[in-house]
Amino acid sequence: MTMKPVQILQDALDEATQQMKNALPTEVLEAFEKAIEQTREAGLNTGVRVGTKAPDFTLASTDGKQITLSAELEKGPVVLVFYRGVWCPFCNLELRAYEQIFDEIAAVNGQVIAISPQTAEYSSAIQEKHGLRFPVVSDVQNQTAKKYELTSQMPEKLKQIYQSIEISLEVFNGDDSWELPLPATYVIDRDGIIRFASVDADYKKRVEPGEVLRLLQTL
């Protein structure tokens, strides 16, 4: 069944953006936007490129299984979704949107793997929250995100803001690095070649899962 070309994600992201604007002080919102621009200006808004070999990895899923990219590719193309954590409303919306089209993705032998630096405890929390049927894996200290050239250091001022709204990456990620992956989506074919890449320092923007599905249907 081909999914209708509707935006199941972007409308929800726009609504969450508006809610954030209504809830947070102007100076906090301005700090968020400044950090996004600084990341772009530093040239950190790229990640590994389309047409290159996807870096392999082995990471633990929430049920304790070891998920190896090269082994998963033997079953079919893989969609890698790098997200920031359970505390990020935009990440929650993104993963829920992929769950909504899980059956269509599976119908073309596609697979989704969601990756974040948070601990197994918080990876389990987001999987259970949305009833995700695809693997949610913990990328301890962003080792895989670094292979994909996605890591970004949180500025000190932003770190203080996050702490003030009770978001401590030391708790969620189990280390004091305050590093996050840029939100990114990769579609990797069975030969391990990256066929599609979407990376954006602006975490309020994500590729539409329907677009990813349409690409999977051509592989």
Side-chain angles (χ1 to χ4, degrees), residues 23-25 28 32 87 158-168 172:
L24 297 177
V28 169
F32 286 170
W87 50 269
L158 207 59
K159 175 181 173 180
Q160 294 172 4
I161 290 173
Y162 271 57
Q163 290 173 322
S164 73
I165 56 178
E166 300 184 347
I167 297 176
S168 172
F172 285 105

Side-chain angles (χ1 to χ4, degrees), residues 5-209:
V6 295
Q7 292 188 339
I8 63 173
L9 178 57
Q10 192 56 55
D11 289 345
L13 293 174
D14 290 343
E15 182 177 348
T17 299
Q18 188 58 53
Q19 290 173 350
M20 182 176 72
K21 290 179 178 178
N22 293 340
L24 297 177
T26 300
E27 59 269 23
V28 169
L29 297 172
E30 290 176 348
F32 286 170
E33 292 304 312
K34 182 177 180 180
I36 290 170
E37 287 307 311
Q38 288 175 335
T39 299
R40 287 177 171 158
E41 290 170 1
L44 301 176
N45 201 49
T46 55
V48 292
R49 307 285 187 171
V50 170
T52 61
K53 188 81 171 179
D56 203 6
F57 60 81
T58 299
L59 295 172
S61 63
T62 55
D63 59 4
K65 293 181 180 179
Q66 296 296 302
I67 303 296
T68 298
L69 175 62
S70 53
E72 297 305 307
L73 288 170
E74 294 177 4
K75 306 171 188 176
V78 169
V79 180
L80 293 185
V81 179
F82 286 87
Y83 71 102
R84 304 194 305 160
V86 67
W87 50 269
C88 170
F90 307 98
C91 299
N92 280 269
L93 291 169
E94 179 181 35
L95 297 188
R96 189 174 70 184
Y98 277 100
E99 174 58 32
Q100 289 176 328
I101 61 169
F102 177 85
D103 291 332
E104 288 105 318
I105 290 175
V108 293
N109 295 319
Q111 304 170 85
V112 177
I113 301 174
I115 303 175
S116 83
Q118 62 190 356
T119 65
E121 175 188 358
Y122 291 106
S123 293
S124 295
I126 200 168
Q127 186 157 36
E128 293 172 7
K129 180 179 181 180
H130 302 299
L132 304 178
R133 289 172 284 174
F134 48 83
V136 177
V137 299
S138 295
D139 181 22
V140 178
Q141 296 185 331
N142 283 296
Q143 292 304 304
T144 298
K146 288 173 183 174
K147 291 182 181 180
Y148 282 78
E149 302 175 19
L150 295 172
T151 52
S152 177
Q153 185 75 40
M154 184 172 290
E156 183 62 31
K157 182 176 181 179
L158 207 59
K159 175 181 173 180
Q160 294 172 4
I161 290 173
Y162 271 57
Q163 290 173 322
S164 73
I165 56 178
E166 300 184 347
I167 297 176
S168 172
L169 297 189
E170 295 179 2
V171 173
F172 285 105
N173 296 352
D175 64 55
D176 61 0
S177 68
W178 283 81
E179 269 189 342
L180 286 173
L182 298 178
T185 303
Y186 292 96
V187 177
I188 305 167
D189 68 19
R190 297 187 69 160
D191 293 323
I193 303 302
I194 296 173
R195 299 287 295 274
F196 173 86
S198 174
V199 182
D200 201 321
D202 189 347
Y203 44 81
K204 303 183 296 300
K205 298 178 181 178
R206 311 290 169 103
V207 64
E208 195 68 36

